[in-house]
Amino acid sequence: MNKERVNQLINDLKSADFCCHRIIELNMELEVLNHKKLGLSHSKIELTKEQEKSTKPMPVFHSGYTSKIAMLYDIEQKENEILYYRKRLNECKPIELLTLRDQNILFDLYVFKTPRNLVVEKYGYTVKGLYKHIYSVMSKVV
C-alpha cells in the first residue's frame, strides 16, 4: 500500500511540469476571453496600408463567438480546468516535508528530467542506492 502511494506521488511530480505549463496557457486564454467579454478587444481586422489602398475586396473574418453565453461558458470551463490542475499540483505537497537535498534529487530526476547517471554522480549514489533512498524518504512522508 505504501509503495503504491510513493509511486503515485512520483507520478504526480512527473506531471507537475505539464500542469504548470497548462495553467499558464489557460490563464493566457482566459485573459483574451475576459478582454473580449469586456469589449476591450478589437473585433475588426486591422488592414495594412497596402490593403487599405487596394480596390479589391478584403477577406472577411467572423469572430469566434456569436453568443455571450457561449463565451461565458468557455470562461467557466477554462477556470474549472485551472482548478483541476491546481488540485493535481497540490497532491505534490508532501514533497515539501523532505529535506532540501532530497527535494533537489526528486526535481532533478522527475521535473528537470536530468539523466539519472548525472544525478547519481552529482549526489554520490549508485543507481540502486539512489532509488532505494528516494523510496525510503518518500515512504516516511506519504
Side-chain angles (χ1 to χ4, degrees):
M1 175 72 178
N2 204 15
K3 187 172 178 134
E4 293 171 5
R5 293 191 63 187
V6 170
N7 286 332
Q8 182 61 43
L9 185 58
I10 288 173
N11 287 334
D12 290 340
L13 185 61
K14 287 179 182 178
S15 68
D17 186 42
F18 170 78
C19 291
C20 290
H21 286 296
R22 189 66 185 132
I23 287 172
I24 291 169
E25 289 172 355
L26 288 167
N27 279 328
M28 290 190 311
E29 292 171 16
L30 268 177
E31 187 175 340
V32 170
L33 288 173
N34 283 324
H35 278 264
K36 285 183 180 181
K37 182 177 79 173
L38 296 173
L40 298 175
S41 65
H42 298 287
S43 59
K44 67 175 188 170
I45 295 174
E46 296 181 20
L47 302 176
T48 63
K49 291 181 182 180
E50 293 82 20
Q51 289 174 327
E52 288 175 356
K53 293 177 185 176
S54 174
T55 57
K56 298 183 178 173
M58 290 294 118
V60 177
F61 296 96
H62 299 286
S63 66
Y65 293 96
T66 55
S67 163
K68 295 285 184 190
I69 294 174
M71 187 185 311
L72 293 174
Y73 178 75
D74 251 7
I75 289 172
E76 182 182 354
Q77 291 298 97
K78 291 190 187 311
E79 288 171 346
N80 288 338
E81 194 173 348
I82 288 172
L83 288 174
Y84 168 75
Y85 287 120
R86 285 183 180 164
K87 286 178 186 173
R88 285 188 57 190
L89 285 174
N90 282 336
E91 292 172 359
C92 296
K93 284 256 187 210
I95 292 172
E96 294 175 0
L97 300 173
L98 298 175
T99 65
L100 191 57
R101 183 172 190 267
D102 292 335
Q103 288 179 28
N104 287 336
I105 291 172
L106 291 172
F107 277 89
D108 284 346
L109 278 175
Y110 301 119
V111 177
F112 303 129
K113 295 171 180 60
T114 307
R116 72 177 177 193
N117 59 345
L118 295 177
V119 175
V120 163
E121 186 178 307
K122 181 178 177 180
Y123 295 101
Y125 288 99
T126 63
V127 174
K128 188 175 180 181
L130 178 70
Y131 287 105
K132 187 175 180 180
H133 173 74
I134 288 172
Y135 277 89
S136 70
V137 297
M138 288 182 71
S139 63
K140 293 175 185 173
V141 297
V142 180

